[in-house]
Amino acid sequence: MIERRGAPFIHIDTSAAYQSIARLVALLPIIVGSVYFNGLYAAFLILLCMVTFTASDWICDSIRGSKYVRDLTSPYMGAVFALLLPVDASWIMAVTGVLFGSVVVKQLYGGRGSYFLVPAAMGRLFVRVVFPSIEPDPVDLSGYHLAELFVGRYPSLIGTSCALLIMLGLIYMCVKRVYKIYIPATYVISLSFLLIIKDIVMGSHETVFFMLTSGVLFTAVYLMCDETTFISFGAGAMLEALICAFLTFILSSKVTGVDIIIIPVLITGVFTKIINYARYVLSSRVEDKSL
């Protein structure tokens, strides 16, 4: 008999509903900023993805006979997915990615608390593969001032550009105790250190530019806070952040666009699930021998 265990490594003393509400509130500044910078169509895509993700989870839970958890995890995941889309993505592409993330990535692996890949990230990768033509061409941002890059006034994905609003969301989640500051700090500091070393060796000055325009800050705050796929406490969380930072650094010279931020998250999530499954199996065997 297989025992279902959902994210046994979570160590946050707040309810799941409280965590999901706090994370969605922390995402609101990004949503408002994305609409301000990209127009009402961005608002339409975000709302569409939130509603579709929620409806899909509810329908799948009903089909499986599971009780739908009435928190804001589903709309949060839909909003995160939408913010990773290009500003000119069609509604068909948005719905396709949401359904893949909800049905295939989340529900087929047991639903809330059981999946091993971040649904929003995997849904975005699926859209990236199925609709490669939607990916924006690289834009020369050398003419933009540092202040413009910091506040997000440059061409980018819908919601990954404004470092200021992302940091506000991080501060809110840390104050509400649903996210530990040392997790994104470990990721950002480690990645920055590796990029600085690269700049010294190559004689370039791209670290600040990369950190502000690649979307890694959005990754650190809104993708790595997923409590099901990422460890949320202690040395394990810091190790995980280090692994994700190293993968991001390696891939930064090999891939472009959204791949830089979603592929390291997905690989790290798989690594974490394997490690925790191995720990569970070993602990179960020790318990069996002690009986």
Side-chain angles (χ1 to χ4, degrees):
M1 179 177 180
I2 299 176
E3 179 184 358
R4 174 180 168 180
R5 292 170 61 88
F9 41 82
I10 299 174
H11 298 283
I12 298 178
D13 298 328
T14 54
S15 68
Y18 177 88
Q19 294 174 38
S20 63
I21 292 173
R23 286 171 182 153
L24 187 57
V25 172
L27 199 61
L28 288 179
I30 304 296
I31 294 175
V32 173
S34 65
V35 174
Y36 174 78
F37 289 126
N38 301 301
L40 292 179
Y41 184 68
F44 166 73
L45 284 180
I46 295 170
L47 182 60
L48 175 66
C49 291
M50 293 173 70
V51 172
T52 304
F53 210 113
T54 303
S56 176
D57 280 355
W58 180 80
I59 292 172
C60 289
D61 285 340
S62 299
I63 293 174
R64 291 191 293 115
S66 302
K67 181 180 180 181
Y68 178 73
V69 180
R70 297 182 180 276
D71 59 17
L72 298 179
T73 302
S74 298
Y76 171 81
M77 197 63 67
V80 170
F81 168 79
L83 294 172
L84 291 169
L85 290 172
V87 296
D88 58 347
S90 70
W91 69 268
I92 295 177
M93 297 173 183
V95 170
T96 299
V98 166
L99 292 179
F100 183 84
S102 171
V103 178
V104 178
V105 180
K106 182 178 180 180
Q107 297 297 334
L108 288 185
Y109 286 91
R112 195 182 194 283
S114 299
Y115 54 86
F116 66 95
L117 295 170
V118 180
M122 194 62 198
R124 183 62 179 88
L125 182 61
F126 181 74
V127 171
R128 162 78 173 81
V129 173
V130 176
F131 304 103
S133 61
I134 74 166
E135 300 303 320
D137 295 327
V139 178
D140 183 11
L141 301 177
S142 58
Y144 289 81
H145 297 293
L146 187 62
E148 292 178 303
L149 300 180
F150 185 70
V151 299
R153 296 189 65 87
Y154 63 92
S156 69
L157 302 177
I158 290 178
T160 62
S161 61
C162 186
L164 175 62
L165 297 179
I166 292 172
M167 291 172 62
L168 288 178
L170 173 62
I171 292 172
Y172 179 83
M173 284 196 287
C174 291
V175 169
K176 291 299 181 179
R177 301 177 62 187
V178 299
Y179 198 26
K180 303 296 184 181
I181 185 65
Y182 57 77
I183 300 175
T186 300
Y187 174 79
V188 170
I189 292 173
S190 301
L191 179 57
S192 298
F193 175 78
L194 292 171
L195 291 171
I196 290 173
I197 296 299
K198 179 182 177 182
D199 278 348
I200 293 175
V201 174
M202 302 297 294
S204 56
H205 303 85
E206 299 181 356
T207 297
V208 175
F209 178 84
F210 180 85
M211 295 301 296
L212 290 178
T213 62
S214 64
V216 294
L217 297 180
F218 184 88
T219 296
V221 178
Y222 295 108
L223 290 178
M224 294 180 65
C225 71
D226 185 274
E227 75 279 3
T228 302
T229 54
F230 282 83
I231 300 173
S232 57
F233 186 82
M238 297 181 68
L239 175 61
E240 195 173 54
L242 283 170
I243 293 171
C244 196
F246 180 75
L247 291 172
T248 304
F249 172 74
I250 295 299
L251 290 176
S252 65
S253 59
K254 300 180 181 300
V255 299
T256 59
V258 73
D259 293 345
I260 294 176
I261 58 178
I262 59 176
I263 293 179
V265 168
L266 294 173
I267 295 176
T268 306
V270 173
F271 173 81
T272 300
K273 213 65 174 181
I274 293 173
I275 294 299
N276 279 282
Y277 178 76
R279 289 173 57 190
Y280 170 62
V281 171
L282 290 175
S283 63
S284 299
R285 290 179 179 177
V286 171
E287 292 176 1
D288 292 339
K289 290 181 180 180
S290 64
L291 294 178

